């Protein structure tokens, strides 16, 4: 364990006072809500991570850094323990908000007499356990633990300047006899998600070079990186215990596709809008090879492509299920890149699903949906798969407490969290999960011995040592008779018992993608569908229209990713990237007009244009004239263009007047989607058109008639005189 937390808190002090039970004298020493941050707490080691009957000491060590502009004196640290958690509800509340930790408090240990601004000093506290030491815990169970750092800022009073709360599993009270093993172990399966923190593909054109928004993926794939840690930790425990047999790897197809293309060379978008070569070619190849080795003879399932928000996709496509089907079925990609076949029909969406999406999934050959038990509402414990009401789908419940224990509890408004927990710090992200798992599988559990599905958050970030610790500790729990590893496939194969309703409502609504994002994607999807319908395969190039359209639809799924739920700007930028790929294809079908002015020698002189198609497939175009008040064009038929071909075309039109004027020529699909950019044609007409000539003759005849009549009346008037 390297780093536990960064906690320099002002707002934290008042919240901790309310929730952690600060004594009155200490409460009076807290700085006001507008006081500046003073200390950052980093914990490098906590040993042991769980207590057993033979534990003799508990040591926490790390460092504190003065991040303010004032000297801090008399810096001290102590540990504070809360009451034993006795119910799942109580434990869930402890994960959401720091509970009181005044049930047992250790003595202060000195850290430093003086810490100057910018200075870092080591921190360590060792607490004796068992023997003649004062008992800090009374029974096996799970206890809240707070690391509390106090000090006195210059020109201020003594105050709590940094703190960090977590849950401590106690499998046996130090100094007492070891407790009896549970009557029967709890069946446990582990889902191991492997996905990027967000989509990064800007463009991946057919036959072109991959372009990424940044090169962070190269860092994450390299040794020590986030994605490398997920693979390496699994490799570390492979073959050690039956635990590995219970693991099922949930992998994002978009990540696989992106890494494959990175290995072949790619570009990265720079801050100035340019592009530079990426640095992760070899890293991508190495990581993909390591993943392939780990997955041999292992359970695998596919996440939605780019972790797409499936209800949002249904809105993007106006209820058309085709894109949702594409998002959930990428079996061929797994077989080609990893040599494995994912569990057929099994889907793990990120959140609840509405009725429209559930119907689309049934059409996509999905048979089983994994969801947290608070999303699958049932009047009975979900100890086996249940039928989702209104569908033929099976629902399998994940344990929500385990998932929540590994998820960072950050406010939606972006304000820094007042209570820092292990999930906020990658280096101890597993601590609360180990505690919750100990609770769920221990004698005090109120879950009724139901099977457990442990599923870390999709974008969980932890170093390899911490991930390996989590998996090996689960193996230790198995050795103690607390859990028994069960392959996910066996859990899914259980007979269906009862029904459950998929709850999609108040919880999911705030997380939905904004309407402006959905509207932008909907427009791109409609134009993509129309553009695709105008394309035809070409026998010479052996390219199918779908080859060109697929990258755009992949971009739509990336822009619908659940990663953008709290990032509207990122979602709009990703939607713009998907639109950019469509615009790039449309821009390859163009019209060119003569550079010189065209003189119309007769009233029906044709207008020459050149139609160019740089796409590797054929396309049918419609020629449109705009600003043509000086012409009357004939009806122009739609024109098919060959792949990578250039075709001259004559537009038949009649001049309606003489003089100089211009006409704008543009192309579109037969359905109206614009193609390329308009071109302007300059014309000079010296001929009357037929209608103009007729009008002129009629006008001249009328003028002649009126003039003759006027002369006749004058002559007749003179004769009478």
């Amino acid at each position: 364990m390297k780093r536990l937390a960064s906690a320099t808190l002002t707002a934290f002090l008042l919240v901790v006072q309310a929730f952690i039970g600060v004594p009155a004298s200490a409460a009076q020493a807290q700085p006001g809500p507008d006081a500046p941050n003073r200390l950052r707490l980093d914990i490098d080691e906590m040993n042991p991570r769980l207590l057993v009957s033979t534990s003799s000491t508990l040591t926490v060590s790390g460092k504190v850094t003065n991040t303010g502009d004032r000297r801090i004196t008399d810096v001290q640290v102590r540990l504070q323990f809360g009451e034993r958690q006795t119910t799942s509800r109580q434990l869930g509340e402890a994960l959401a908000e720091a509970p009181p930790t005044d049930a047992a408090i250790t003595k202060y240990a000195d850290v430093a007499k003086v810490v100057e601004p910018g200075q870092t000093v080591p921190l360590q506290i060792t607490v004796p356990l068992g023997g003649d030491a004062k008992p800090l815990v009374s029974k096996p169970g799970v206890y809240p633990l707070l690391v509390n750092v106090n000090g006195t800022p210059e020109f201020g009073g003594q105050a709590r300047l940094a703190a960090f709360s977590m849950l401590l599993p106690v499998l046996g009270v130090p100094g007492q006899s070891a407790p009896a093993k549970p009557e029967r172990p709890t069946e446990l399966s582990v889902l191991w998600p492997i996905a990027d923190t967000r989509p990064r593909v800007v463009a991946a054109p057919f036959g072109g070079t991959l372009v990424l928004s940044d090169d962070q993926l190269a860092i994450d794939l390299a040794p020590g990186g986030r994605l490398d840690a997920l693979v390496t930790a699994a490799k570390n425990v492979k073959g050690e215990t039956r635990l590995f047999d219970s693991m099922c790897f949930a992998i994002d197809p978009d990540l696989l596709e992106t890494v494959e293309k990175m290995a072949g060379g790619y570009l990265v978008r720079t801050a100035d809008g340019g592009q530079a070569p990426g640095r992760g070619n070899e890293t991508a190849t190495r990581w993909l090879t390591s993943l392939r080795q780990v997955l041999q003879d292992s359970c695998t399932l596919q996440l939605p492509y780019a972790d797409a928000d499936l209800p949002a996709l249904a809105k993007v496509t106006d209820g058309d299920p085709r894109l949702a089907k594409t998002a959930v079925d990428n079996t061929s990609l797994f077989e080609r890149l990893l040599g494995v076949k994912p569990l057929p029909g099994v889907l793990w969406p990120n959140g609840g699903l509405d009725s429209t999406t559930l119907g689309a999934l049934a059409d996509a050959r999905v048979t089983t949906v994994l969801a947290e038990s608070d999303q699958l509402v049932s009047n009975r414990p979900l100890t086996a798969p249940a039928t989702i009401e209104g569908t033929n789908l099976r629902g399998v419940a994940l344990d929500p407490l385990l998932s929540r224990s590994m998820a960072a509890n950050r406010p939606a408004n972006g304000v820094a969290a007042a209570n820092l927990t292990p999930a906020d710090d990658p280096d101890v992200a597993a601590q609360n999960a180990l505690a919750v798992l100990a609770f769920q599988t221990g004698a005090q559990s109120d879950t009724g011995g139901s099977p457990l599905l442990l599923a870390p958050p999709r974008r969980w970030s932890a170093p390899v040592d911490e991930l390996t610790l989590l998996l090996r500790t689960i193996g230790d729990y198995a050795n103690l008779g607390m859990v028994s590893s069960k392959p996910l496939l066996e859990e899914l194969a259980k007979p269906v018992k009862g029904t459950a309703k998929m709850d999609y409502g108040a919880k999911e609504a705030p997380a939905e993608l904004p309407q402006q994002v959905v509207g932008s994607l909907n427009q791109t999807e409609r134009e993509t569908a129309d553009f695709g319908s105008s394309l035809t395969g070409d026998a010479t190039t052996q390219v199918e229209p779908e080859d060109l359209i697929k990258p755009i639809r992949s971009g739509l799924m990336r822009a619908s990713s659940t990663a953008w739920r709290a990032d509207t700007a990122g979602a709009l930028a990703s939607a713009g990237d998907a639109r950019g790929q469509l615009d790039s294809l449309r821009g390859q079908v163009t019209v060119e007009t003569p550079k010189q002015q065209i003189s119309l020698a007769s009233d029906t002189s044709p207008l020459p244009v050149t139609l160019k198609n740089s796409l590797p497939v054929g396309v049918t175009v419609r020629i449109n004239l705009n600003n043509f008040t000086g012409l009357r064009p004939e009806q122009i038929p739609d024109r098919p263009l060959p792949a990578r071909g250039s075709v001259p075309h004559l537009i038949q039109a009649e001049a309606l007047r003489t003089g100089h004027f211009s006409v704008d020529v543009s192309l579109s699909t037969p359905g109206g989607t614009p193609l390329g950019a308009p071109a302007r044609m300059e014309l000079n007409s010296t001929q009357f058109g037929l209608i103009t000539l007729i009008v002129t003759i009629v006008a001249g005849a009328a003028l002649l008639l009126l003039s003759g009549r006027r002369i006749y009346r004058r002559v007749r008037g003179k004769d009478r005189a």
Side-chain angles (χ1 to χ4, degrees), residues 8-17 31-35 37 415-419:
T8 63
L9 306 171
T10 299
F12 175 80
L13 305 178
L14 297 181
V15 177
V16 169
Q17 176 183 331
D34 295 327
N37 294 333
V415 177
N419 176 44

Side-chain angles (χ1 to χ4, degrees), residues 195-332:
D196 198 0
T197 54
R198 63 174 178 81
R200 302 184 191 277
V201 176
V202 173
F206 173 77
T209 302
L210 172 72
V211 181
L212 301 183
S213 59
D214 54 57
D215 217 6
Q216 179 62 42
L217 194 51
I219 298 173
D220 291 344
L221 295 172
R226 175 183 166 274
L227 291 169
D228 175 78
L230 290 166
V231 175
T232 302
K235 185 187 298 184
N236 288 343
V237 301
K238 188 173 184 178
E240 288 188 3
T241 65
R242 282 202 64 219
L243 169 67
F244 189 85
D245 297 332
S246 74
M247 295 179 66
C248 196
F249 296 86
I251 304 174
D252 179 5
D254 177 44
L255 174 63
L256 292 181
E257 203 169 53
T258 302
V259 173
E260 179 195 23
K261 292 178 180 177
M262 286 177 64
Y266 65 103
L267 299 172
V268 175
R269 188 165 56 187
T270 57
D272 59 0
Q275 296 177 354
R279 298 169 295 175
N281 308 48
E282 295 181 2
T283 298
T285 301
R286 183 203 61 82
W287 183 85
L288 201 55
T289 300
S290 297
L291 179 62
R292 190 181 297 113
Q293 293 171 348
V294 169
L295 295 182
Q296 288 180 0
D297 304 320
S298 299
C299 170
T300 307
L301 65 84
Q302 49 187 318
L303 295 174
Y305 189 94
D307 197 22
D309 186 330
L310 298 178
L313 271 187
K315 295 178 181 179
V316 166
T317 58
D318 296 322
D320 190 325
R322 286 180 298 177
L323 202 54
K325 291 180 181 179
T326 303
V328 301
D329 186 7
N330 292 274
T331 301
S332 60

Side-chain angles (χ1 to χ4, degrees), residues 186-208:
T186 301
E187 295 177 343
L188 175 70
S189 303
V190 179
L191 276 176
W192 200 247
I194 299 179
D196 198 0
T197 54
R198 63 174 178 81
R200 302 184 191 277
V201 176
V202 173
F206 173 77

